[in-house]
Amino acid sequence: MKPIVTLTLNSSVDVQWEVPEMLHTKKLRASNGITFPGGGGINVSRVIKTLGGQSISVFTSGDFVGHFLREMVDNAGLITRVVQIEGVTRTSSTVFDRSTGQEYRVTPPGPSLTEREWQACFDALFDISTDYIVATGSLPLGVPDDFYARVSHRAKKQGRRVVLDTSGAPLAAALEEGVFLVKPNRGEMKRLMGTGDLGPQEEEALAQQLVREGKAEVVALTLGGDGALLATEGRTLRLRGPDVKVKSAVGAGDSFVAGLTYGLARPMELADAFALGIASGTATVLTAGSELCRRQDIERIYREITGKSLDV
Ligand SMILES: Nc1ncnc2c1ncn2[C@@H]1O[C@H](COP(=O)(O)OP(=O)(O)OP(=O)(O)O)[C@@H](O)[C@H]1O
Ligand SMILES: [Mg+2]
């Protein structure tokens, strides 16, 4: 299996705090902050590593925060291809309020990229031999809305599969071009299709419509605690994980993408790869803040869903 290439244009350093109670003005005595390397593609690479797979993480890094991020990514044992930028890599934070059990997520927009910088990311991506490119996250300021569409256009010419997880105009533009797999959540699907709340049958109909129209060969519509549905030509699967106590949903979508893509790249049967996506997403909600999933949780949940062991 060739390594999966992940792309993170808007990388971040994620800091996670726990406070006894969220109160304004007062000094909040927090736990020692835990830091994680963040941004969609980096998260996907971290989970692929947990699953025993290999990926190459292409990401932007700027100034001293970027330097710190690179150290963290190296410590996480990921293989990287760094694109140096002028701006300062963003810092995101998660604050967990112990008194209510609620979590607050603060995510700044991140630095703007110049044309030379986003072009360097594009070139880096196609410099690496791979079968799967995972493009996730919002586009930073300065990057044209059709960036992911351009990635897909080039990838298709080279026989590579693009897995896309983004929203809004960049998502719509990429689907006009057509991608291999797209992973909207409920809100992203509604916005894309210009609809209100969707019932189960409408969800399936819209996912199948995207496949029929050639926008994606595989549509994975994730539904939070309700699991996900997977549409391919003439076939729709629906799956949900076991009921679990949710600690934090941060990174659940990225973990789902990692499990599914890794499963497809191995290759596993479509239904098993889908189950691995659900198992990875569900395992991530078991951990606090920006921590992602643990191997033993993924294995246990995968076995519960499929009755099979994850032999890797
Ligand atoms: N509350 C939950 N309980 C159980 N599993 C969950 C929950 N939230 C998410 N998951 C799992 O993670 C997968 C992806 O979650 P979700 O649909 O929330 O993605 P997302 O909205 O893209 O997430 P993100 O906020 O990371 O972008 C789901 O299909 C499910 O398997
Ligand atoms: Mg998401």
Side-chain angles (χ1 to χ4, degrees):
M1 184 184 132
K2 286 184 189 164
I4 294 163
V5 174
T6 67
L7 172 66
T8 313
L9 289 179
N10 214 347
S11 58
S12 65
V13 166
D14 293 354
V15 192
Q16 172 185 322
W17 315 94
E18 218 178 284
V19 298
E21 190 181 3
M22 272 303 244
L23 293 170
H24 66 84
T25 317
K26 288 207 160 160
K27 194 180 273 181
L28 301 176
R29 300 286 175 188
S31 59
N32 279 328
I34 310 174
T35 47
F36 292 95
I42 291 175
N43 286 343
V44 171
S45 282
R46 283 165 61 201
V47 175
I48 290 173
K49 184 170 169 64
T50 301
L51 286 165
Q54 262 207 356
S55 74
I56 299 173
S57 186
V58 177
F59 65 93
T60 55
S61 160
D63 213 69
F64 62 98
V65 185
H67 192 80
F68 183 39
L69 174 66
R70 284 161 63 175
E71 295 265 311
M72 280 197 292
V73 173
D74 285 342
N75 283 340
L78 302 185
I79 305 170
T80 62
R81 176 73 193 267
V82 178
V83 177
Q84 200 63 45
I85 59 168
E86 281 293 316
V88 184
T89 296
R90 64 183 169 157
T91 306
S92 305
S93 41
T94 310
V95 184
F96 182 77
D97 178 343
R98 268 202 299 274
S99 69
T100 60
Q102 281 170 336
E103 185 178 69
Y104 298 80
R105 295 166 73 170
V106 185
T107 307
S112 177
L113 299 195
T114 64
E115 180 169 351
R116 191 186 54 77
E117 289 167 346
W118 58 256
Q119 194 65 55
C121 294
F122 186 91
D123 294 342
L125 208 53
F126 289 98
D127 222 19
I128 308 165
S129 170
T130 185
D131 294 329
Y132 284 88
I133 294 173
V134 180
T136 82
S138 56
L139 294 176
L141 295 166
V143 181
D145 280 346
D146 68 349
F147 181 84
Y148 289 139
R150 296 185 200 202
V151 168
S152 190
H153 183 76
R154 167 80 80 89
K156 279 195 284 185
K157 276 193 178 163
Q158 300 185 342
R160 305 177 190 200
R161 291 173 156 181
V162 168
V163 173
L164 181 67
D165 180 5
T166 190
S167 57
L171 171 63
L175 293 185
E176 276 312 305
E177 170 63 38
V179 299
F180 170 67
L181 188 153
V182 66
K183 191 222 81 66
N185 61 21
R186 265 196 184 118
E188 288 155 358
M189 185 66 138
K190 286 197 304 194
R191 197 167 149 210
L192 176 72
M193 306 305 260
T195 60
D197 285 346
L198 303 169
Q201 281 173 355
E202 291 158 309
E203 285 166 358
E204 291 181 23
L206 289 181
Q208 276 297 341
Q209 183 186 331
L210 292 177
V211 174
R212 232 182 11 257
E213 290 174 351
K215 306 245 159 96
E217 286 178 50
V218 185
V219 176
L221 172 62
T222 58
L223 309 164
D226 294 330
L229 70 83
L230 192 81
T232 53
E233 199 186 342
R235 184 180 180 201
T236 307
L237 305 171
R238 195 181 266 275
L239 206 54
R240 55 174 297 168
D243 288 332
V244 292
K245 191 167 179 306
V246 179
K247 269 213 181 132
S248 161
V250 176
D254 296 329
S255 303
F256 174 92
V257 168
L260 176 58
T261 307
Y262 170 69
L264 291 171
R266 267 185 51 171
M268 291 162 84
E269 294 276 334
L270 183 69
D272 290 340
F274 183 33
L276 189 54
I278 294 281
S280 306
T282 311
T284 288
V285 306
L286 299 177
T287 63
S290 302
E291 186 180 349
L292 299 175
C293 37
R294 298 184 182 150
R295 171 83 195 194
Q296 62 269 37
D297 292 330
I298 302 175
E299 281 179 8
R300 191 188 65 250
I301 297 167
Y302 181 80
R303 210 178 313 114
E304 264 182 60
I305 303 175
T306 63
K308 300 180 197 171
S309 64
L310 190 63
D311 51 337
V312 277

